[in-house]
Amino acid sequence: MHEQTIEAQSARYSPTSIRATWDGTGSVEDASRALGFSRAKGYDLARRGEFPCRVLRIGRSTRIVTASLLRVLESGEPEYNSARA
């Protein structure tokens, strides 16, 4: 049963699923799961400007650019932000 849960979750964060269901941006939590690390680690990396995808800060909200996440998932190469908040 646990294996089915893991398979379902990994399918949810596959590039195909992300393309079909996400808008232009996604949450740090979901992007972190897609990349295989925890929510806390994702927010820490975003705060330090080291999240492997493009990060947008909109007011108090932090969002991950979906196209950037897909490029990182497909290439394995990070796209760090050049500007720091």
Side-chain angles (χ1 to χ4, degrees):
M1 178 94 134
H2 181 66
E3 286 181 30
Q4 290 175 345
T5 304
I6 292 171
E7 288 175 18
Q9 187 170 8
S10 66
R12 179 179 174 197
Y13 295 109
S14 71
T16 303
S17 177
I18 291 169
R19 266 190 204 90
T21 59
W22 290 26
D23 292 325
T25 64
S27 70
V28 173
E29 184 174 351
D30 284 338
S32 296
R33 285 187 187 138
L35 292 166
F37 44 84
S38 72
R39 173 186 176 275
K41 179 70 172 179
Y43 276 105
D44 182 51
L45 292 172
R47 182 184 51 78
R48 294 187 320 207
E50 297 175 5
F51 199 87
C53 307
R54 299 256 343 233
V55 175
L56 295 177
R57 297 190 199 288
I58 304 167
R60 293 181 52 135
S61 179
T62 303
R63 304 292 291 173
I64 304 301
V65 177
T66 302
S68 177
L69 173 64
L70 290 168
R71 285 190 296 270
V72 170
L73 288 172
E74 292 170 347
S75 72
E77 296 293 321
E79 294 185 354
Y80 294 109
N81 293 317
S82 57
R84 295 179 72 112

